[in-house]
Structures are given as structure tokens and as C-alpha cells.
Amino acid sequence: SGKSALACVCVNSSHLKPSDHFLSCCKGPVTKERRKPLSVCSKLCYAVGGAPYQITGSALGFFLQIYLLDVAQLDPFYASIILFVGRAWDAVTDPCVGFLVSRTKWTRFGRMMPWVLLSTPFAVTCYFLIWYVPAVEQGKVLWYLVFYCLFQSLQTCFHVPYSSFTMFISDDQKERDSATAYRMTVEVLGSVVGTAIQGQIVGGAITPCIPTEYDLDRDGNGTQPLRNVTRSLDDTAYMIASGVICAIYVLCATILFVGVKEQKDISQKKAKPITFCQGLRLVMGHGPYVKLVLGFLFISLAFMLMEGNFALFLTYALDHREDFQNILLVIMLSGTISIPFWQWFLTRFGKKTAVYLGITWAVPFMILMVCIKSNLVISYMVSVATGASVAVAFLLPWSMLPDVVDDFKLKNPDIRGYEAIFFSFYVFFTKFASGVSLGISTLSLDFAGYVSRGCYQPESVILTLKVLVSPVPVALIAIGLLILKTYPIDEEKRKSNRKLLQELL
């Protein structure tokens, strides 16, 4: 047609390196007239790149709080500072990295891939050191704060460019939605892997909890013998688990590099670049984006609040000390299995409908969780049902963000270099909110009288944990869904934008 871009240059296969043969397998043949649809191999390689973020995120989200309190034996006040400052710092670096990525010049590896390659070795080093207990007692807080912040910054240098890949692997909405579904499936699977590795390795290394005055006085006479209660307190097990996760991190980054080729934006030559402040004003002035981000901000905050406190809730409130890691694993497995269903559902009934049905599905089970007495079978049933909503919380934001970017592109056809800013600011708000939630929740446990490494906790701590995993998340979900009610890009609008964008290209 004269308007299509040359996706790649065909070369004689005899001059290809082994990695290039693999690339050609993934990409399939490409003609000058039109870019071919993405192959399954290419989508899988792209999806694998999202696993490191979720593997490390699930391990940190589920286990870092209990690790700092019961293994590193930090005061809850200092633990709350580490969790809040680390997440807040991580949030601040997202828009900064997003802007730097948008200003990065094209290289032989693309614009996004160099960030992925250079950040990986430093990120895995810092991640490993997070799970090491230093011998110096006075420097523990500074140790964890520094390496937690460094890891979050380096992972941002990996994840923001990777998230922006969505806009550069294809210019077709269906292909991008399909690749996003692959990515979300692998990312939820990555959460399963992170939860399984951390939980099963750590759960296999147990030592007795430390009796406290509260434990000995539970029967009122100070002579009650402690039953055989065990807790995961071996820092060596945490280091082994982190070493395995670091190896997987490097492997996934390698597969992403070998198997995915970034497509150059053909409109960049005639478009004008924007500064960071201009990009910020444009992005935050785009109504659909603001409503989408605010809606999922509250929803993500609800699930992050549950994630950060769920291990403690299962351990102390429901008394599942020896099974909490398995219950967490069931939640993530359920989410992974339900991803294909939700991908089919959003294609058939629309993305907004999928959000409302999928997220509200978890609410009755959140309420049931704090109403029942300790029952292991019911806990597993609730975890299976809750996992389906976790899948929606994973899938839908990243499936809907490209629609917002396309809508912005139609209204601002002469502006380029904004894609990474859209994705990075979404991550910024969710991470900052999660930092606030983790800091406040850990501080709340301190005020309630949390006993580090105790076999039991006071009733005030049990009540605080119940509030943090049920009433507060339910309220946040309600607010988020009300905001998403005003989100203007429905299926009809999305299809109209797709048609107009194809004509523009």
C-alpha cells in the first residue's frame, strides 16, 4: 500500500548466527508489504521476560515482612520504615526511568533491550543480599534499606522497558492483547514459582519459636507447656531460595533477549519528541488514563494489602503455621489456571465486564475468611476461589493500558516517545500505594503489640490482621470499581479507535 513499514531485512540464512536462527524461528517470515502476526514462539519468549518481576515480587510480597520481623528480628517500627521507604523509592524511580527510556536512542538491540541486559546482573546481586542477615547488629536496618532500595531501582530498569515492549512487538491490537494474555499467564505462573520456591524451601527449614511471657500465661497460671509450634526462622534457607530465584531471573532475561526483536516505531521520524514535564502534563491530562489508573490503584492496593499480611494472618489468626506456604501456593496456582478463561471472557464480553465480574468474585470469600474459625479445608477452598480474582487483577490493567495509549495516539498523532511514560506512571502509583499500605500495616501491628518470633500473638494483633485482610481491602475494591464505572473506553470505542489507528498508520 506504500504505507506499511519494512519490518526487517531478509538475509541469506548461511550468514546467520545460531541465535539468529532461533530468532527467525520465533518471528517467522516477514515480507515488505506487511508485518506477519506474531508466532506462538515469539509470544512465549516475550511472556517469559515478565516472570522475574513477578517471581521476586511474590517472594518479597508474601515473605519479606515476616522475614524482617521473625528472622532478622527487626523492631516492627524499623520494618515498616524499610517496607515503606523501599516501595516509595521504587515508585519514584519508575517515572524517571520511563522518561530516560523514552529518550534512549535506537541501538542494534533496540531501545528497550539494553536496559534489560545491563540491569540484570546488578539486580540479582542486590536481591540475594536482601535475604542475608548481616553479623553486625547495629547496621541491620541500613543494610536492608540500602539493598532493598537498590534492588527496586535496578528491577525498575528491567521492568519499565519490558512493559513498554507491548507497544513495539506489534502494531495490531489483537496481537498485543494476545501477547499480553501470554505474558499475564507466565507472570501469574511466575508468582506461583516465586511463592513455591520461597515457601517450600523456607518451610522445610524450621526451628522452634521462642516462648514469651504472653505464651506462658495463656492458661492464666503461667505454667502452660508450649505445644510443638514451629516457625520458619533459618536465614540459610532464605538465601538458598534467593539463589534459585536469581538463577531463574538471569535465565528469563536471556530468553527475552534471544527470542524477541523490538520493532522500530515507523512514525518516529516525522514526529517530535517531548520533554519529561510535557509528557507528564499530557499523560495526566488524558482522562481515560487517569480514570483507569485511579480505579486499578485502589484495586491493586486491596490485593497488595492482603498479600503483605496474609502469611501473618494464616500463621496467627487461623493457626495454619505449617500450611501457610501451601495455601499461598494454591492461590497463585488457581490464578494461573484461570487466566485463559478470563482472556476468553474479555474477548467475548468486553474488558470492563471482565473487571467487574472478576474482581467482585473475591469479595464474599474475603469476608468469609475472617468469619470462619480455623478450618484448613475451608481455607483451601477460599484460596482457590480468591485466586480467580487475583488473575483478573494481573491481566486486565496491562490489557487495558495499550487501549489508552492508542486513544492518546489518535488525539496526539505528532507526539512520540510517550509510551514508557504511560506504563511507568501506572507502576509508580501502584508501587507508591503499596509502600504506604505495607508501612501502615506493619506499623499497625507494632501499635497492636506484635511479638517478634512469638508462638502466639495478643488478641489485638489478631484483630488487626483480620481488618487488614478483609474489611479494608473490600472497601478499596468498592472504591476502585466505582471509579472504573466512569472509564470511557468500552468495546465499541476500542474497536472504533482500532479502525482509526489503522487508517492513520
Side-chain angles (χ1 to χ4, degrees), residues 179-257:
T180 299
Y182 275 83
R183 171 190 165 190
M184 291 301 108
T185 302
V186 173
E187 287 197 358
V188 175
L189 184 60
S191 296
V192 173
V193 172
T195 305
I197 292 173
Q198 195 82 10
Q200 299 306 312
I201 294 179
V202 169
I206 52 178
T207 58
C209 59
I210 297 177
T212 64
E213 181 180 352
Y214 172 77
D215 299 322
L216 296 174
D217 290 338
R218 283 173 64 85
D219 66 344
N221 58 23
T223 60
Q224 178 187 5
L226 289 172
R227 58 196 175 101
N228 185 23
V229 181
T230 56
R231 296 298 310 281
S232 301
L233 297 172
D234 192 345
D235 63 310
T236 304
Y238 278 94
M239 292 178 64
I240 293 172
S242 66
V244 174
I245 289 176
C246 287
I248 296 174
Y249 194 119
V250 174
L251 178 63
C252 292
T254 303
I255 293 175
L256 176 66
F257 170 68

Side-chain angles (χ1 to χ4, degrees), residues 178 304 356 464:
S178 177
M304 289 176 183
Y356 275 93
T464 301

Side-chain angles (χ1 to χ4, degrees), residues 7-184:
C8 67
V9 178
C10 295
V11 296
N12 190 317
S13 61
S14 62
H15 299 296
L16 293 177
K17 299 180 292 184
S19 60
D20 294 325
H21 283 294
F22 182 73
L23 285 173
S24 64
C25 161
C26 288
K27 308 318 182 273
V30 182
T31 66
K32 289 184 178 181
E33 295 299 324
R34 185 177 180 178
R35 289 171 177 167
K36 292 291 184 179
L38 293 172
S39 67
V40 173
C41 181
S42 183
K43 292 175 184 177
L44 284 173
C45 292
Y46 163 72
V48 167
Y53 181 77
Q54 297 302 335
I55 292 174
T56 57
S58 63
L60 290 168
F62 281 126
F63 295 96
L64 183 59
Q65 185 186 51
I66 197 171
Y67 168 82
L68 293 175
L69 293 174
D70 287 356
V71 180
Q73 299 183 54
L74 296 181
D75 184 273
F77 175 75
Y78 292 117
S80 67
I81 291 177
I82 292 170
L83 294 170
F84 169 72
V85 173
R87 288 297 184 99
W89 172 256
D90 183 26
V92 170
T93 58
D94 275 290
C96 298
V97 172
F99 173 71
L100 293 174
V101 169
S102 68
R103 305 291 289 185
T104 302
K105 295 182 180 180
W106 184 268
T107 69
R108 58 177 299 205
F109 301 114
R111 272 201 305 148
M112 311 296 170
M113 193 64 73
W115 287 84
V116 172
L117 294 175
L118 293 176
S119 64
T120 296
F122 301 103
V124 295
T125 302
C126 292
Y127 179 80
F128 181 80
L129 292 175
I130 290 174
W131 303 102
Y132 172 74
V133 179
V136 182
E137 188 70 26
Q138 297 295 330
K140 273 190 194 178
V141 175
L142 185 61
W143 174 280
Y144 291 116
L145 185 61
V146 168
F147 284 110
Y148 188 40
C149 290
L150 281 176
F151 171 71
Q152 296 287 20
S153 300
L154 291 164
Q155 192 181 52
T156 296
C157 294
F158 180 104
H159 190 63
V160 168
Y162 172 76
S163 300
S164 303
F165 258 121
T166 309
M167 303 304 300
F168 297 100
I169 58 174
S170 175
D171 52 16
D172 183 82
Q173 278 189 355
K174 285 187 176 180
E175 289 296 317
R176 292 203 302 256
D177 285 345
S178 177
T180 299
Y182 275 83
R183 171 190 165 190
M184 291 301 108

Side-chain angles (χ1 to χ4, degrees), residues 313 316-318 448 457-467:
F313 172 76
Y316 293 115
L318 296 185
Q457 295 295 335
E459 287 300 321
S460 56
V461 173
I462 303 300
L463 178 61
T464 301
L465 288 170
K466 288 182 177 180
V467 171

